[in-house]
Amino acid sequence: MKLIPADTQRRISRRPAVIIGAAGVLIALVLAAIFFVFRPDSRDSGSTMPNIILLSIDTLRADHLGCYGYDRETSPNIDAFAADAVLFENAYSQAPFTAPAHMSLFTGLTPAVHRVANFDKTGLRKLDPRIVTFPAMLKERGWLTVGLHAGGMMSPEFGFDRGFDLYSEKLISYNWHRAYEDPKDLNVIRRLLETSRRDSRPLFLFLHHYVCHDPYMTAPESIRSRFLKNPVPGLSKGLPDDERNRILKGFEAAPGGNGLERLSGQRVLRSTFAKEFWKGVDLSRPDHRRHIVDLYDAGVYFADALFGKLLSILREDGSLDDSIIIVMSDHGEEFFEHGGKTHWQLFVETLHVPLIVKLPSRYAQSLQGRVARDVRTVDLFVTLFDLLGLPIDHQIQGESFLSLMKNNGRRYAPLVVSYDNALRSVRFIKDDFVYSDFMSHGVGEWLFSRPNDPAEQRNLAPSMGIVLETMRAIASDVRLGDSSFSASVGTSSARPTDKPSESLLRQLRALGYLE
Ligand SMILES: [Zn+2]
């Protein structure tokens, strides 16, 4: 794993007093690097620009938050924050998978163009070096760019570290579980805010964790028991806190030196634990569904409490009012609405995500409180650049939805397109219909009426032949459009996956993914 960018490492290596040793020393070293090495240089001055704090709460369904209409108190902090911000009621992710969804966010490109996918036995699909990320564009314009993530599918091996001064999974505990009891675990955020101020560089801070991800055991026992009132006998209730902490520490200490090895180690740990967690669960049974959703909601509540801690830090620092603060998720989660669990199918429950944006008062004139129109997460950074008056000199597919925030009438109505991990299936929203050619339970085509069936339960494909024909033609256009965009960016749309390296194949074999 790369904690410090190579050029910084070179500069640090000339410091004779610095000796890289145990993990604690390494963290101290990174903090020292933040303080002493990241100096402003001859790049454009960004000193009048605001901080951008972007929190991605992995696997957070929009409709499980109070401010999105949930009837359970899962999100007091996010709800209060949303009351002062712009809430997008209908924001959609471009993929129900962590890596492609986040990469669309960071590049303004659809998954079919950036071609980064979740790690599987076909190997690693890493971001093409010709693609320029938004963090890189912000860095170029003077921002101090820092990503504090929870590893896994967000590992730097996918290219997620591109454009970050610092991209680390070490500086906050995995899933922030220590931060709940000991706010000192988030001290790094205070230090980053101080450093950006001292150097007159605005801060772009990307934060990410897996608190809501399955297995739903990350919340402390006290929160889980509050939500899980009637556990189904025989099903897992998660673990007692001490054992939970031991497992979470295991994730942090997952074996291996580089990110890929750690990713593999985490996958093994996760799958072992997840298997245990899901044992005996039959989501077709309402009582089992209730049990599982209760535990998921406990995770949402925990994520909300952690967000509250982040807000406290920003408030204490005096940065709350002058920063752009964004809360969102990369995808939702399914609880058997379409016969599945976790997140892999292309339906509303896996793609509808929260998106809440709070702007500093100097930008917040005549903003809408809630935006009902559809927006895509691939357009978020384009919108921020539009807001800040920053041109984008690279080819992207994203479009600014600033006009929706300001209700100034400029047109924003792109097709809301999403892909599966293998790019075999596409889904899009067109006017009153949702179409996808996703194969699930023997059905290969889906057509839903949005006004009549927002939960996407009645497939109209067999009965609406004429609409279906139109949708098929649009699907074909979407694929052709992405394919020709890939060609113009220089990434080949024909390339199925990168060939895995010999060492990766060895790791996969050792881990049992390959024969
Ligand atoms: Zn995710």
Side-chain angles (χ1 to χ4, degrees):
M1 185 195 59
K2 193 165 80 175
L3 278 175
I4 311 170
D7 56 343
T8 307
Q9 281 171 335
R10 277 196 296 278
R11 277 183 280 176
I12 289 169
S13 68
R14 289 200 294 271
R15 290 168 177 268
V18 175
I19 299 163
I20 297 176
V25 177
L26 190 56
I27 290 174
L29 176 65
V30 173
L31 289 173
I34 292 168
F35 270 95
F36 298 114
V37 181
F38 293 137
R39 291 287 181 183
D41 53 24
S42 58
R43 286 171 285 203
D44 301 348
S45 167
S47 57
T48 57
M49 287 288 165
N51 296 335
I52 303 171
I53 317 282
L54 168 56
L55 170 63
S56 171
I57 300 174
D58 210 284
T59 321
L60 178 57
R61 276 175 75 130
D63 63 355
H64 280 237
L65 296 173
C67 51
Y68 281 85
Y70 202 38
D71 55 7
R72 217 171 181 187
E73 193 178 321
T74 49
S75 53
N77 291 293
I78 294 175
D79 297 350
F81 170 77
D84 248 352
V86 182
L87 179 147
F88 293 89
E89 293 173 355
N90 291 292
Y92 290 90
S93 177
Q94 274 51 79
F97 294 90
T98 304
H102 279 106
M103 202 52 94
S104 283
L105 176 72
F106 281 167
T107 60
L109 301 171
T110 68
V113 174
H114 66 63
R115 306 192 68 77
V116 170
N118 266 19
F119 178 67
D120 60 22
K121 64 183 177 189
T122 63
L124 181 70
R125 280 185 278 191
K126 185 178 180 154
L127 187 64
D128 188 289
R130 286 166 290 199
I131 294 174
V132 180
T133 63
F134 286 110
M137 293 181 221
L138 288 172
K139 181 177 172 176
E140 183 64 29
R141 291 188 163 91
W143 265 264
L144 171 62
T145 52
V146 178
L148 305 178
H149 62 100
M153 298 301 175
M154 294 305 291
S155 293
E157 272 70 11
F158 295 90
F160 282 115
D161 58 340
R162 197 87 62 77
F164 280 102
D165 287 309
L166 172 70
Y167 188 74
S168 169
E169 61 175 307
K170 282 285 189 192
L171 296 180
I172 299 183
S173 65
Y174 181 85
N175 274 338
W176 296 31
H177 59 286
R178 277 199 295 270
Y180 187 63
E181 282 117 27
D182 181 5
K184 283 206 293 296
D185 203 42
L186 300 179
N187 269 353
V188 61
I189 297 174
R190 293 188 177 87
R191 301 271 191 97
L192 289 167
L193 290 162
E194 286 162 15
T195 304
S196 93
R197 212 164 23 242
R198 186 204 63 196
D199 289 350
S200 303
R201 290 179 73 184
L203 175 67
F204 167 57
L205 178 60
F206 169 69
L207 299 164
H208 163 262
H209 60 63
Y210 290 115
V211 161
C212 299
H213 201 288
D214 89 301
Y216 316 115
M217 51 73 78
T218 310
E221 225 178 333
S222 58
I223 297 178
R224 273 178 279 141
S225 59
R226 193 186 322 164
F227 280 85
L228 184 58
K229 291 276 187 237
N230 297 301
V232 175
L235 297 192
S236 171
K237 294 186 278 185
L239 295 168
D241 280 347
D242 51 349
E243 211 172 324
R244 151 193 174 262
N245 292 344
R246 195 177 56 74
I247 296 272
L248 289 171
K249 275 197 192 112
F251 281 113
E252 284 168 47
N258 69 31
L260 257 190
E261 287 160 351
R262 284 180 52 72
L263 173 58
S264 303
Q266 286 188 349
R267 279 174 65 93
V268 171
L269 267 169
R270 180 175 283 287
S271 68
T272 309
F273 186 75
K275 223 177 269 169
E276 204 55 38
F277 177 85
W278 286 104
K279 204 155 68 183
V281 174
D282 174 4
L283 283 182
S284 69
R285 288 179 50 169
D287 57 336
H288 284 212
R289 242 180 358 251
R290 182 74 261 162
H291 179 108
I292 289 296
V293 169
D294 283 351
L295 287 173
Y296 173 79
D297 285 346
V300 175
Y301 184 88
F302 183 45
D304 179 81
L306 293 171
F307 176 63
K309 291 195 186 295
L310 171 66
L311 287 184
S312 302
I313 291 174
L314 297 174
R315 195 174 292 117
E316 283 162 26
D317 180 79
S319 301
L320 188 61
D321 295 332
D322 290 335
S323 301
I324 297 174
I325 302 168
I326 300 146
V327 186
M328 62 179 299
S329 185
D330 55 342
H331 51 76
E333 188 77 329
E334 51 189 313
F335 300 110
F336 210 69
E337 293 87 342
H338 295 90
K341 66 177 187 184
T342 72
H343 45 271
W344 60 282
Q345 305 197 88
L346 295 179
F347 296 107
V348 62
E349 60 272 14
T350 59
L351 296 166
H352 181 211
V353 291
L355 176 63
I356 307 168
V357 180
K358 184 178 169 302
L359 299 180
S361 52
R362 59 181 147 142
Y363 299 105
Q365 306 304 318
S366 23
L367 286 181
Q368 303 296 302
R370 297 176 77 95
V371 172
R373 292 259 299 277
D374 296 335
V375 298
R376 315 179 297 187
T377 52
V378 69
D379 297 324
L380 175 67
F381 275 97
V382 189
T383 304
L384 296 179
F385 274 54
D386 188 12
L387 172 82
L388 299 174
L390 303 173
I392 296 170
D393 305 323
H394 305 280
Q395 277 189 290
I396 52 160
Q397 294 167 291
E399 298 176 30
S400 168
F401 52 70
L402 188 61
S403 59
L404 297 186
M405 294 171 76
K406 295 190 163 175
N407 199 18
N408 68 6
R410 268 163 57 198
R411 191 174 173 277
Y412 168 88
L415 265 191
V416 179
V417 176
S418 308
Y419 282 94
D420 70 330
N421 200 48
L423 305 175
R424 274 190 214 104
S425 309
V426 68
R427 168 197 157 109
F428 59 84
I429 299 170
K430 175 68 179 165
D431 302 326
D432 280 351
F433 290 98
V434 177
Y435 170 85
S436 89
D437 55 14
F438 180 73
M439 175 60 77
S440 175
H441 297 82
V443 178
E445 250 184 330
W446 303 85
L447 182 70
F448 300 109
S449 160
R450 294 188 83 197
N452 300 331
D453 182 20
E456 304 180 355
Q457 292 297 305
R458 289 185 299 281
N459 187 10
L460 304 175
S463 59
M464 294 192 77
I466 294 172
V467 178
L468 206 58
E469 282 302 317
T470 309
M471 295 294 162
R472 285 176 186 154
I474 295 171
S476 168
D477 286 349
V478 167
R479 286 195 164 92
L480 277 173
D482 280 344
S483 177
S484 73
F485 202 92
S486 287
S488 70
V489 176
T491 57
S492 164
S493 61
R495 186 184 62 183
T497 58
D498 287 344
K499 198 170 176 300
S501 68
E502 268 312 307
S503 74
L504 176 58
L505 286 172
R506 269 198 305 278
Q507 284 170 33
L508 289 168
R509 274 190 211 103
L511 293 165
Y513 288 110
L514 296 176
E515 293 300 315

